[in-house]
């Protein structure tokens, strides 16, 4: 039996003539231009405005920047805050990778395949609950007279309560709890897509478990590790909540008791509502982010 | 190393791996469990030993009203923002997935980049713009700003789903005489439903949880995270745990949605389709 063809073309695509793409893209492009690009341009511009009688006055003066750089090491000590931010976000990201990579390995290689999906849902579950409430809950856990200290004191493992809250260690705990589900998800997806025959091949060729891990598995999961690192540092540089709720604003770290740069920006605006100056500070933060992104992308590009 | 040694080593490695997983899950769940459990504790300060069960904090929450009002505000803003972002995102994802055109790469980056910019920066930027055109300080200001950060998630997830669609089914619709709109409406859209729903859920979560932007632009109509933040500053109270438990129950519902919609999509391999 013969089926008559209604149209001779094998696959007819109206792509060339289609106007549909404009209809689809114009709304989103318009929206992003007005509410994303425009505010960013504005932000950089407002950084050069000044304040007179509590009102922002358009103009072009570098007073904000010269004032900020003048206070880099004195009074507001922005340089110390920037250093603290970089230090905390770098250590947090590293800790996150060190803690989440073995976890993802466990998910892929230990948990039976039919249970993996459920295990993954459980691992990313915290991400779907409110961040600020999780921080509040961590407060109850790591408080000086909180759960952790009560338990440790009862057990007799410590004599004096551990001071974790209102230090940058507290900040890191909050950030890690935010980052972990996402890092685990990324690393899980990368590890799961690694061709397992490569691991068996390296084993058959006489590699020890450590060698297969270090010389096959880790290099293959490098893209995931790089994504996690870039993502982790950007989130922890920009986060304000953990540094305030768990870090207490000016938490202590190895560097000393300095606030994070993001905390400084938020608190300065809350205290002064000086938008031009806050905009100048935010512009500095953008510059930091761009540097990290460029470094990260270069690092990722080297491997490819 | 002998074979016996090696298998012993493997077993202990697996055992320590299980212990590590258990510890990890414990830490991931710890704050959530703390919230739920201590919302029922009598004592004002959430510490051990346990002093007794009570519903007081829920009663206090209902009578106070501030947090509940903020919850209502959030429940108004977040679904709307997520809905708008998902609709805009669907059309953008469709066009980006189907068409090739000059400048596509730049456009894609422009559409994705808002998620990479920290909300702190966006918060200051939005406030700068909105205060010039007198739109700051209301719920709709938050709505306008949230849509921007939600569009990238929507585009990413819906693109993921569209990439799994065999191109042939849309072409078949055209060949059978459907117009482009009809094919989009009756073939592509039904196929994308899981992606759209997943995108909506994720966008809703992001918006519902977003603090910094809302803090900068909300004024006297705070959303839930902002209200909780103000609450933290003033008086520590287990009423927060009660809010937490309510929010937790909501997120359980969301999670079921995620498990049914989002994960199957993330775990599926993209189908190879003819160019």
């Amino acid at each position: 039996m013969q089926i008559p063809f209604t149209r001779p073309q094998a696959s007819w695509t109206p792509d060339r003539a289609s106007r549909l793409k404009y209809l689809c893209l114009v709304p989103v492009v318009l929206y992003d231009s007005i509410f994303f690009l425009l505010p960013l341009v504005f932000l950089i511009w407002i950084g050069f405005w000044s304040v007179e009688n509590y009102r922002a006055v358009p103009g072009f003066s570098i007073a904000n920047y010269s004032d900020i750089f003048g206070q880099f090491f004195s009074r507001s000590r922005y340089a110390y805050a920037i250093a603290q931010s970089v230090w905390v976000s770098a250590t947090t990201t590293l800790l996150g990778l060190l803690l989440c990579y073995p976890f993802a390995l466990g998910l892929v290689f230990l948990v039976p395949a039919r249970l993996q999906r459920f295990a993954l849902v459980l691992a990313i579950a915290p991400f779907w609950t409110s961040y600020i409430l999780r921080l509040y809950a961590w407060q109850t856990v790591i408080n000086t007279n909180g759960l952790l200290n009560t338990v440790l004191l009862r057990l007799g493992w410590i004599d004096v309560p551990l001071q974790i809250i209102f230090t940058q260690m507290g900040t890191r705990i909050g950030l890690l709890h935010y980052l972990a589900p996402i890092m685990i998800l990324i690393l899980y997806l990368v590890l799961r897509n690694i061709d397992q025959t490569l691991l068996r091949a390296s084993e058959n060729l006489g590699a020890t478990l450590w060698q297969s891990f270090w010389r096959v598995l880790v290099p293959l999961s490098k893209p995931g590790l790089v994504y996690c690192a870039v993502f982790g540092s950007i989130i922890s540089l920009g986060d304000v909540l953990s540094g305030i709720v768990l870090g207490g604003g000016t938490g202590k770290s190895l560097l000393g008791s300095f606030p994070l740069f993001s905390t400084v920006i938020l608190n300065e605006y809350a205290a002064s509502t000086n938008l031009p100056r806050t905009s100048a500070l935010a512009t500095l933060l953008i510059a930091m982010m761009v540097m990290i992104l460029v470094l990260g992308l270069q690092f990722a590009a080297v491997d490819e | 190393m002998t074979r016996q040694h090696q298998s012993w080593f493997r077993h202990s490695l697996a055992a320590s791996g299980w212990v590590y997983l258990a510890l990890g899950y414990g830490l991931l769940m710890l704050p959530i469990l703390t919230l739920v459990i201590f919302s029922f504790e009598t004592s004002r300060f959430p510490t051990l030993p346990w002093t007794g069960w009570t519903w007081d904090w829920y009663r206090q929450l209902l009578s106070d009203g501030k947090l509940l009002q903020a919850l209502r505000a959030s429940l108004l803003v977040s679904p709307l923002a997520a809905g708008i972002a998902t609709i805009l995102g669907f059309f953008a994802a469709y066009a980006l997935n189907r068409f090739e055109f000059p400048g596509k790469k730049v456009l894609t980056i422009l559409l994705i980049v808002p998620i990479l910019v920290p909300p702190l920066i966006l918060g200051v930027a939005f406030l700068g713009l909105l205060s010039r055109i007198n739109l700051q300080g209301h719920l709709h200001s938050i709505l306008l700003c949230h849509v921007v950060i939600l569009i990238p998630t929507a585009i990413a997830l819906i693109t993921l789903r569209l990439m799994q669609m065999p191109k042939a089914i849309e072409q078949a619709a055209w060949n059978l005489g459907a117009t482009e709109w009809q094919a989009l409406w009756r073939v592509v859209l039904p196929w994308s439903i899981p992606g759209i729903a997943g995108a909506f859920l994720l966008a809703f979560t992001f918006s519902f949880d977003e603090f910094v932007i809302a803090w900068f632009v909300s004024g006297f109509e705070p959303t839930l995270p902002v209200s909780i933040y103000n609450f933290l500053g003033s008086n520590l109270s287990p009423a927060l745990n009660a809010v937490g438990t309510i929010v937790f129950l909501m997120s359980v519902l969301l999670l079921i949605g995620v498990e049914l919609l989002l994960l199957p999509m993330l775990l599926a391999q993209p189908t190879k389709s003819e160019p």
Side-chain angles (χ1 to χ4, degrees), chain A residues 6-7 9-15 18-21 23-25 27-29 31-40 42-43 46 49 55-56 58 98-100 102-103 106-107 110-112 117-134 136-141 143 145-147 150-151 154 177-178 180-181 184-185 188-189 192-193 203 207-209 234 237-238 240-241 244-245 261-263 265-267 269-270 275 278-279 282 285-286 289 293, chain B residues 1 6 9-10 13-14 17-18 20-22 24-25 27-32 34-35 38 46-49 84 88-89 91-92 94-96 98-101 107 110-111 113-114 116-122 124-133 135 143-145 147-148 151 155 171 174-178 180-181 184 201-202 205-206 209 211-212 215-216 224-225 228-229 232 236-238 240-241 243-244 247-248 251 254-255 258-260 262-264 266-269:
Chain A
T6 45
R7 266 170 207 262
Q9 299 100 321
S11 62
W12 175 76
T13 55
D15 276 16
S18 179
R19 295 249 169 84
L20 199 58
K21 63 170 171 272
L23 272 173
C24 288
L25 286 170
V28 81
V29 168
Y31 198 96
D32 267 4
S33 307
I34 298 173
F35 290 109
F36 176 65
L37 290 182
L38 196 61
L40 280 187
F42 239 68
L43 172 80
I46 291 180
W49 292 11
R55 282 187 65 98
L98 289 176
L99 291 171
C100 295
F103 193 91
L107 276 185
L110 289 177
V111 178
R117 202 166 120 181
F118 178 68
L120 194 62
V121 173
L122 267 189
I124 60 173
F127 187 76
W128 301 86
T129 62
S130 159
Y131 178 44
I132 190 166
L133 283 169
R134 281 187 277 151
Y136 170 69
W138 274 112
Q139 242 185 17
T140 10
V141 174
N143 237 331
N145 54 359
L147 295 182
T150 319
V151 171
R154 284 279 167 82
H177 197 249
Y178 185 79
I184 290 171
L185 179 66
Y188 172 84
L189 290 175
R192 187 176 158 277
N193 287 337
E203 203 181 338
T208 63
L209 216 52
I234 287 187
L237 270 182
V240 285
L241 281 178
I244 292 175
V245 178
F261 192 52
S262 51
T263 311
I265 297 180
L266 193 83
N267 283 342
Y269 182 75
L275 195 57
T278 311
S279 301
L285 187 60
I286 297 182
M289 302 281 175
L293 210 62
Chain B
M1 207 164 11
Q6 221 171 21
F9 178 68
R10 270 171 191 237
L13 194 66
W18 280 112
Y20 187 80
L21 279 180
Y25 278 116
L27 282 176
L28 283 170
M29 295 302 160
L30 179 65
I32 299 163
T34 322
L35 266 186
F38 278 97
T47 46
L48 292 174
I84 297 173
L88 288 173
F91 287 111
Y94 172 74
L96 290 175
R98 186 180 140 196
F99 298 104
E100 291 299 329
F101 52 90
L107 186 68
L110 167 73
L111 292 178
V113 108
L116 289 174
V117 181
L120 174 62
I121 292 170
L122 288 177
V124 182
F126 288 143
L127 182 63
L129 180 74
L130 294 180
S131 64
R132 287 312 280 181
I133 50 179
L135 273 177
L143 177 70
L144 286 173
C145 303
V147 171
V148 174
I151 287 174
I155 292 183
Q171 284 162 352
W174 297 332
N175 282 338
L176 293 171
E180 281 183 282
W181 261 115
L184 173 60
L201 285 181
L202 192 62
T205 311
F206 273 133
D209 209 19
F211 165 74
V212 191
W215 185 83
F216 271 106
L224 189 61
I228 291 173
Y229 179 79
L232 277 178
L236 227 68
S237 152
L240 280 182
N241 290 23
V243 174
V247 172
F248 170 72
S251 38
L254 283 174
L255 256 179
V258 171
E259 144 76 14
L260 292 178
L262 214 56
L263 280 189
L266 284 175
L267 297 178
Q269 310 288 340

Side-chain angles (χ1 to χ4, degrees), chain B residues 65-75 222-228:
Chain B
K66 256 190 195 156
L67 283 171
L68 276 191
Q69 203 185 343
L71 180 64
R72 265 199 297 277
S74 275
L75 285 177
T223 52
L224 189 61
V226 178
S227 182
I228 291 173

Side-chain angles (χ1 to χ4, degrees), chain A residues 115-194:
Chain A
L115 289 179
Q116 276 188 15
R117 202 166 120 181
F118 178 68
L120 194 62
V121 173
L122 267 189
I124 60 173
F127 187 76
W128 301 86
T129 62
S130 159
Y131 178 44
I132 190 166
L133 283 169
R134 281 187 277 151
L135 291 177
Y136 170 69
W138 274 112
Q139 242 185 17
T140 10
V141 174
I142 62 174
N143 237 331
T144 319
N145 54 359
L147 295 182
L148 180 74
N149 277 319
T150 319
V151 171
L152 288 180
L153 283 170
R154 284 279 167 82
L155 288 171
W157 289 8
I158 51 169
D159 299 320
V160 235
L162 296 174
Q163 181 66 41
I164 305 173
I165 195 158
F166 303 153
T167 70
Q168 300 296 351
M169 206 55 229
T171 310
R172 290 193 192 101
I173 290 177
L175 283 171
L176 282 173
H177 197 249
Y178 185 79
L179 295 176
I182 311 165
M183 284 192 167
I184 290 171
L185 179 66
I186 295 176
L187 292 172
Y188 172 84
L189 290 175
V190 168
L191 283 172
R192 187 176 158 277
N193 287 337
I194 287 176

Side-chain angles (χ1 to χ4, degrees), chain B:
Chain B
M1 207 164 11
T2 63
R3 197 150 274 260
Q4 227 170 4
H5 270 104
Q6 221 171 21
S7 83
W8 176 83
F9 178 68
R10 270 171 191 237
H11 278 119
S12 55
L13 194 66
S16 47
W18 280 112
V19 172
Y20 187 80
L21 279 180
L23 269 176
Y25 278 116
L27 282 176
L28 283 170
M29 295 302 160
L30 179 65
I32 299 163
L33 292 179
T34 322
L35 266 186
V36 177
I37 292 170
F38 278 97
S39 68
F40 296 104
E41 214 233 11
T42 329
S43 157
R44 187 164 183 80
F45 299 100
T47 46
L48 292 174
W50 190 259
T51 41
W53 294 88
T54 178
W55 281 98
D56 276 3
W57 307 119
Y58 289 89
R59 229 167 277 139
Q60 194 184 323
L61 178 71
L62 290 172
S63 63
D64 174 57
K66 256 190 195 156
L67 283 171
L68 276 191
Q69 203 185 343
L71 180 64
R72 265 199 297 277
S74 275
L75 285 177
L76 191 69
V77 167
S78 298
L80 265 176
I84 297 173
T86 310
I87 293 170
L88 288 173
F90 168 72
F91 287 111
Y94 172 74
L96 290 175
N97 186 54
R98 186 180 140 196
F99 298 104
E100 291 299 329
F101 52 90
K104 182 175 163 182
K105 211 165 181 186
V106 178
L107 186 68
T108 313
I109 293 173
L110 167 73
L111 292 178
I112 293 298
V113 108
I115 196 87
L116 289 174
V117 181
L120 174 62
I121 292 170
L122 288 177
V124 182
F126 288 143
L127 182 63
L129 180 74
L130 294 180
S131 64
R132 287 312 280 181
I133 50 179
N134 276 322
L135 273 177
Q136 87 284 12
H138 299 287
L139 279 184
H140 57 250
S141 339
I142 306 176
L143 177 70
L144 286 173
C145 303
H146 273 186
V147 171
V148 174
I149 58 162
L150 304 181
I151 287 174
T153 36
I155 292 183
L157 284 177
I158 296 170
T159 302
L160 199 66
R161 177 67 185 168
L162 286 173
M163 273 164 26
Q164 291 164 4
M165 178 179 80
K167 281 231 161 73
I169 66 171
E170 197 183 3
Q171 284 162 352
W174 297 332
N175 282 338
L176 293 171
T179 64
E180 281 183 282
W181 261 115
Q182 284 171 330
L184 173 60
W185 187 247
R186 304 190 43 186
V187 177
V188 180
L189 186 68
W191 173 273
S192 318
I193 291 290
I196 291 172
F200 180 83
L201 285 181
L202 192 62
F204 173 83
T205 311
F206 273 133
S207 166
F208 193 72
D209 209 19
E210 202 288 320
F211 165 74
V212 191
I213 296 174
W215 185 83
F216 271 106
V217 301
S218 67
F220 294 108
E221 292 184 67
T223 52
L224 189 61
V226 178
S227 182
I228 291 173
Y229 179 79
N230 296 336
F231 222 77
L232 277 178
S234 54
N235 54 337
L236 227 68
S237 152
L240 280 182
N241 290 23
V243 174
T245 307
I246 294 172
V247 172
F248 170 72
L249 288 177
M250 276 177 51
S251 38
V252 169
L253 289 180
L254 283 174
L255 256 179
I256 294 171
V258 171
E259 144 76 14
L260 292 178
L261 298 166
L262 214 56
L263 280 189
M265 217 163 60
L266 284 175
L267 297 178
Q269 310 288 340
T271 39
K272 295 266 189 311
S273 58
E274 281 173 46

